[in-house]
Amino acid sequence: MSKLPEMLTIGQVAERSGVPHTALRFYEERGLIASVRTAGNQRRYARSVLRRLAFIRTAQRVGLSLEDVHEALTTLPDNRTPTKSDWSRLSTSWQVELDARIDALQRLRDRLTSCIGCGCLSLRSCSLHNFDDEQAADGPGAPKLKPAIEGGT
Amino acid sequence: MSKLPEMLTIGQVAERSGVPHTALRFYEERGLIASVRTAGNQRRYARSVLRRLAFIRTAQRVGLSLEDVHEALTTLPDNRTPTKSDWSRLSTSWQVELDARIDALQRLRDRLTSCIGCGCLSLRSCSLHNFDDEQAADGPGAPKLKPAIEGGT
DNA sequence: AAACAACTTCGACTTAGGTCGAGGTCAACC
DNA sequence: GGTTGACCTCGACCTAAGTCGAAGTTGTTT
């Protein structure tokens, strides 16, 4: 009757996702993915875990921590269809962060681009050389650099 | 005659850059920044270290490792004015990576954006739900996910 | 010259994100 | 029903990027 949704073994998931089985157990421990167990205590994964893994790896690749991802994913419950407001919560909280990162990356890239042009033989006009312009790292009460990556806005 | 270039103590650099003094010593150990020593063995930094620190922190913030940064910075020698080809090397190698990251971030953001719109009540059309589309994580020889961050192409 | 803050080194510790191996169990095929 | 490969747990270990504290030194100020 109910056709079983074709569960995958950990080996199959590792194979198909490219994520090592050790990492899969680690992610499960961290609550990022879920599995059910066979009578003999072996993990079986729903196919949807591949989507989750793709999401996790992408997020990681752009510098988000597993905890960020965890927080995001737990707002999207596994057991029910996510509602519009589930998505809104996740989206809006992430978009600020993602936008900031995109912006930082683009500025970093653009600096480098303009440096090719300037040749940097005249250091005076090199924007990379003058990287601290925007920090005005001079006065006694100079603003700190961004305290690196951190959760939250 | 030669007016000394106003060396900074480690405390001053920490204060002005917002980078903890412990991290400054750590970066020095890793070859990311340099200092000279006083007769009494204390560190003194050129003001240019503030630029370097801003660069380092920015790069880190967007997910690059200190080793990435180190590699990049060592192609820009401290002791001579960087040439056009110094810059070219750094720029082109980073731009590929930066572009890829920007792209990944934007797609991640756009997925989330479109998810707000779709409401994800019809999972069939949700791009996040169908995240693995681009991976085609199905066949036996399915392409692996990106092996996460790496000093890649 | 004495006090005291700021500096030094060094080793131990921390958190994140995992990997590795030992010792044991499960499942699938012959 | 036995072998073989995939799986299990658990604890030790690993790298990156630092932090912390102890014990001693420097440098500035009075």
Side-chain angles (χ1 to χ4, degrees), chain A:
Chain A
M1 313 224 156
S2 60
K3 55 169 188 178
L4 309 179
E6 274 230 48
M7 298 305 248
L8 302 170
T9 67
I10 194 170
Q12 289 169 327
V13 173
E15 166 74 18
R16 294 186 183 199
S17 67
V19 178
H21 60 95
T22 54
L24 293 175
R25 295 202 191 89
F26 181 74
Y27 290 167
E28 186 171 329
E29 211 181 313
R30 287 284 183 284
L32 293 166
I33 57 174
S35 64
V36 294
R37 299 298 180 111
T38 64
N41 198 35
Q42 295 196 356
R43 288 172 179 83
R44 288 297 180 270
Y45 297 92
R47 301 183 53 75
S48 65
V49 82
L50 295 172
R51 286 191 281 271
R52 248 175 133 88
L53 286 170
F55 184 78
I56 292 167
R57 293 300 238 193
T58 302
Q60 264 196 305
R61 181 169 188 287
V62 300
L64 299 170
S65 72
L66 289 184
E67 201 178 317
D68 290 338
V69 175
H70 176 68
E71 243 174 85
L73 288 179
T74 53
T75 76
L76 298 180
D78 241 3
N79 28 0
R80 65 180 172 80
T81 304
T83 67
K84 201 157 190 164
S85 77
D86 285 332
W87 281 115
S88 287
R89 234 179 305 119
L90 168 53
S91 296
T92 55
S93 70
W94 275 41
Q95 278 189 24
V96 175
E97 180 62 21
L98 293 182
D99 282 343
R101 278 164 197 265
I102 288 169
D103 203 58
L105 267 166
Q106 279 170 343
R107 276 184 295 123
L108 193 59
R109 183 192 54 186
D110 293 346
R111 274 173 216 288
L112 289 173
T113 306
S114 73
C115 271
I116 279 200
C118 81
C120 288
L121 301 168
S122 75
L123 291 180
R124 208 141 300 282
S125 69
C126 172
S127 69
L128 183 58
H129 195 82
N130 294 313
F131 204 90
D132 49 347
D133 280 0
E134 71 198 25
Q135 300 295 343
D138 222 34
K144 313 293 196 212
L145 300 183
K146 284 273 164 67
I149 282 168
E150 253 320 313
T153 60

Side-chain angles (χ1 to χ4, degrees), chain B residues 84-113:
Chain B
K84 202 160 192 163
S85 77
D86 285 332
W87 281 115
S88 288
R89 235 180 304 120
L90 168 52
S91 297
T92 55
S93 71
W94 275 42
Q95 278 189 24
V96 174
E97 180 63 20
L98 294 181
D99 281 344
R101 277 165 198 264
I102 288 169
D103 203 59
L105 267 166
Q106 278 171 344
R107 276 185 296 124
L108 194 59
R109 183 191 55 185
D110 293 347
R111 273 172 216 286
L112 289 173
T113 305

Side-chain angles (χ1 to χ4, degrees), chain B residues 107-133:
Chain B
R107 276 185 296 124
L108 194 59
R109 183 191 55 185
D110 293 347
R111 273 172 216 286
L112 289 173
T113 305
S114 74
C115 270
I116 281 200
C118 82
C120 288
L121 301 168
S122 75
L123 291 182
R124 208 142 301 284
S125 69
C126 171
S127 69
L128 183 57
H129 195 82
N130 294 313
F131 205 91
D132 49 348
D133 280 359

Side-chain angles (χ1 to χ4, degrees), chain B residues 27-49:
Chain B
Y27 289 167
E28 186 171 330
E29 210 180 312
R30 285 285 183 283
L32 293 165
I33 58 174
S35 64
V36 295
R37 299 297 179 113
T38 64
N41 198 34
Q42 296 195 357
R43 288 173 180 83
R44 289 297 181 270
Y45 296 92
R47 301 182 53 75
S48 65
V49 82

